[in-house]
Amino acid sequence: MAVETAPATPAWHDTTLDARARADALIAAMTLREKIAQLFGVWVGASDDGAEVAPYQNEMDPAADLEELLPHGLGQLTRPFGTAPVDPAIGALSLLRTQRRITAANRFGIPALAHEECLAGFAAWRATAYPVPLSWGATFNPGIVREMAAAIGRDMRAVGVHQGLAPVLDVVRDARWGRVEETIGEDPYLVGTVGTAYVQGLESTGIVATLKHFAGYSASRAGRNHAPVGMGPRERADVILPPFEMAVREGGVRSVMHAYTDTDGVPSAVDERLLTELLRDTWGFDGTVVADYFGIGFLKTLHGVAGSWADAAAAALAAGVDVELPTVKTFGEPLVEAVTAGRVPEALIDRALRRVLTQKAELGLLDPDWSPVPAVLADADLTDAAALRGTVDLDPAANRALAREIAEQAVVLLRNDGTLPLARPARIALIGPNAEAATAVLGCYAFPVHVGSQHPETPLGVELPTLRQALATEFEGSEIVTVRGADIDTTDTTGIAEAVATARGADVVVLALGDRAGLFGRGTSGEGCDVESLELPGVQQQLLDALLDSGTPVVVTLLAGRPYALGRAVDEAAAIVQAFFPGEEGTGAVAGVLSGRLNPSGRLPVSVPRRPGVQPSTYLAARLGEATDVSSTDPTPAYGFGHGLSYTTFAWSDLMAEAGQADTADEFRFALTVRNTGPRDGVEIVQLYLHDPVASVVQPVQRLIGYHRLPLAAGESRRITVTVPADLASFTGRDGRRIVEPGALELRFAASSTDHRLTAQVGLTGPVRPLDHTRRLHASFDAG
């Protein structure tokens, strides 16, 4: 009698094998169409009744036909929660049912990887809207950003999402660019450290973080979205690339998104030196490279480097792009036909597929016991969709508390003549277009703006106290009179007279100016909302000037996505408070700074210009980029990078260097004392800048190489020891190699780029030393 034996477990289901071996076994069993199906996504939206997701009809392409696609498999699901408002529990059910359909339809039972935006929180209805990345930069606190990212990741993972499209590691080069709000700032070290912390937090929850936009997107000419980039290789190497390198080396990131732009005629999507030689061969990245939405198709339609969809697909694959997003276009039938005809090697398909399937194996998506049921539905009755509605909370008290803490640390006090903190004024004139605008605290990728604005019939989904409401809570005994005065971006000045009259009858004016976030020209800040100058939008400057003439002290409060020139306010306003889209708890943070309940500790992650027409300009200027007597324009900022005031004072003293010289392979050690000399507890941000007076190539006059957030009680002093590796003095030399040169250096311990408190003159000795990607990246600060 024959003995029946159980069928052997397919190797790709064998969890005792490593992920790559499982991927290779699966690749060997797949047809060409099955292979290619894993290399693209389909843009879908979760159903609000719990049914399967529906393909999204976007303006670039017709909706995909799932009946035709799914028998071959599917690589990714694009934004099931972030396409339309859907109750989180119902969205999770819809995604679950879709995954069951996907796995049942393909012969290997491979689920799709679901991705979402998470730039300032999980971009889903009723999920916490955190401050935008520019506010993360203003905190100078990577630790709290790591904590926030972990909270975002937990929420995403709990409903069945696998990948998040964040963080943005673009370094601001021109503040006219609409996406400044999405960046962390204008300094590569600040961007790198804060962005890497975000990656670490997101990845700690099992969510795949995605670095974007690789590389150079923010350096577009004239600050225009998608415009060409004209920088040279040295600027790219020393300004644009370091944050990405840091996140790859230290963050454990598992995905990278190519940029839309071309640099010197080479689009990032076809730049093999960037996507393969540098990213993979040099830095050792082994994750997936995904396309920015429609970016591969743009090789044909916008860049003109591909004559057909198949040519575009082939060029991107060859360069190192693995996945087409957001939906299938060039990686569909055109690519199948090109491989079949021998025009594209199948080895390129296999290379990309190996990365995709390895990642799916690491995520558990190839395990034999994988279940599509997410954590939030683990104990739910999946047959009763109606009973699930409202059972998943993506904005719990803990999230709001974290959002509040970040917002409070991010508010920057730019100017104060002593008016702040406000004593209990009897009458406050709250004036301006952002006085009663609930969404004035949100950036363009926050769900209520990004998606909710297209569904005005749907509630915002999260509580967004207006500035008026926050002030009413903060100043309980004060009368608050609110006048709009002007709109964000219209030319109507008829409301200014009423605003001035209201100001004259008040003890103080709180003037709420700034931006309205939007997309592609529907706002004053956000993707595609670029500007020609850094004037306040609309007639806000006229309103500001009129109120400065009213005779009543004016406290300018900015809820904005970029820095603006503020004209006379720099010298005449009683105070200026800057908040970069501080999220759902942002108005309370601003009100707390105005009252003095909070001692401001935010610092500028971008310079505030004195004049509106000096862009492109950042603090990372060479000597000829600063004010000179041979040009009639002066780019000197009103408030420099790193600036921020406090309600207490700090004294810096007793700087000592262990040695005045060090070898180019060694390090310097310093000690200094910082004392809180004021009447209340506060936080000082100790910033360290490097000045290299003589180098073989032109250097910025100064650049940030380290910082430390230092809380001090009133009267408290701390002795800080700082170790500075010589590697931090490195730069890209004339031959394209990174080097450390011997010579004199100046290390500036500073409260900002314009406020140097203590300076050490030191020297590097020994030979010119070449460095690679294994160099040391950080100074260390020990505050005892």
Side-chain angles (χ1 to χ4, degrees), residues 48-244:
D48 195 41
D49 61 6
E52 295 168 358
V53 299
Y56 173 57
Q57 177 68 55
N58 62 78
E59 59 189 25
M60 301 293 292
D61 293 297
D65 185 345
L66 292 182
E67 290 293 336
E68 180 181 341
L69 293 174
L70 292 189
H72 305 292
L74 180 61
Q76 293 215 10
L77 288 168
T78 292
R79 303 199 66 187
F81 289 86
T83 297
V86 59
D87 176 89
I90 301 300
L93 179 62
S94 179
L95 178 56
L96 177 161
R97 289 174 171 169
T98 303
Q99 290 282 34
R100 283 179 173 168
R101 178 184 175 188
I102 292 169
T103 55
N106 75 84
R107 65 192 180 105
F108 300 107
I110 309 170
L113 188 152
H115 77 258
E116 289 288 352
E117 296 285 358
C118 55
L119 183 77
F122 180 14
W125 190 54
R126 295 177 55 192
T128 305
Y130 292 94
V132 298
L134 205 56
S135 274
W136 311 349
T139 69
F140 277 69
N141 187 352
I144 200 168
V145 172
R146 187 181 298 110
E147 187 179 349
M148 175 196 67
I152 293 169
R154 286 191 296 270
D155 287 341
M156 295 172 72
R157 187 176 176 88
V159 295
V161 175
H162 307 102
Q163 182 170 359
L165 304 187
V168 169
L169 296 186
D170 295 301
V171 178
V172 175
R173 303 300 284 162
D174 188 330
R176 294 173 298 179
W177 189 48
R179 304 189 78 166
V180 167
E181 64 173 70
E182 300 180 41
T183 74
I184 295 166
E186 70 182 25
D187 178 84
Y189 186 74
L190 180 67
V191 173
T193 49
V194 173
T196 297
Y198 183 94
V199 170
Q200 291 167 341
L202 202 64
E203 290 278 357
S204 73
T205 68
I207 294 291
V208 175
T210 308
L211 307 182
K212 56 187 191 181
H213 306 87
F214 194 60
Y217 188 26
S218 58
S220 59
R221 290 190 177 121
R224 295 180 61 247
N225 200 38
H226 289 209
V229 172
M231 66 184 169
R234 190 170 295 106
E235 180 182 355
R236 189 188 215 189
D238 288 354
V239 177
I240 299 299
L241 293 176
F244 293 94

Side-chain angles (χ1 to χ4, degrees), residues 668-750:
F668 297 103
R669 295 180 181 85
F670 304 93
L672 69 152
T673 298
V674 179
R675 180 180 179 85
N676 182 342
T677 55
R680 58 182 295 177
D681 299 352
V683 174
E684 181 69 297
I685 309 295
V686 178
Q687 302 167 43
L688 176 59
Y689 295 87
L690 178 111
H691 169 62
D692 189 347
V694 179
S696 57
V697 298
V698 174
Q699 293 292 292
V701 171
Q702 61 181 336
R703 55 185 174 89
L704 185 73
I705 60 170
Y707 61 88
H708 182 73
R709 188 177 175 91
L710 182 68
L712 290 171
E716 181 184 8
S717 66
R718 301 281 287 277
R719 188 72 175 165
I720 306 169
T721 58
V722 186
T723 303
V724 183
D727 291 14
L728 301 189
S730 67
F731 56 85
T732 301
R734 295 186 184 184
D735 62 358
R737 294 185 307 161
R738 180 170 288 276
I739 56 173
V740 179
E741 290 183 338
L745 297 174
E746 187 174 285
L747 293 171
R748 301 168 175 177
F749 295 85

Side-chain angles (χ1 to χ4, degrees), residues 26-39:
L26 188 50
I27 292 169
M30 298 174 85
T31 68
L32 177 62
R33 285 187 181 275
E34 288 170 335
K35 291 177 178 181
I36 291 176
Q38 292 295 317
L39 305 185

Side-chain angles (χ1 to χ4, degrees), residues 652-655 671-673 747-750 756-760:
W652 301 39
S653 63
D654 302 324
L655 176 64
L672 69 152
T673 298
L747 293 171
R748 301 168 175 177
F749 295 85
H756 307 143
R757 298 296 179 87
L758 299 169
T759 300

Side-chain angles (χ1 to χ4, degrees), residues 503-592:
R504 287 174 175 157
D507 298 302
V508 66
V509 173
V510 174
L511 180 56
L513 304 178
D515 280 315
R516 182 186 67 255
L519 289 165
F520 305 115
R522 295 191 293 272
T524 59
S525 174
E527 185 173 359
C529 297
D530 314 314
V531 294
E532 295 179 0
S533 84
L534 295 181
E535 297 176 284
L536 284 164
V539 295
Q540 292 183 77
Q541 186 67 53
Q542 290 174 250
L543 174 63
L544 170 55
D545 290 344
L547 291 171
L548 290 174
D549 291 333
S550 71
T552 302
V554 177
V555 176
V556 179
T557 303
L558 295 150
L559 298 171
R562 61 160 66 85
Y564 285 105
L566 301 173
R568 293 166 49 196
V570 171
D571 301 308
E572 299 178 32
I576 303 174
V577 176
Q578 174 79 66
F580 296 109
F581 289 146
E584 61 184 40
E585 293 288 327
T587 56
V590 170

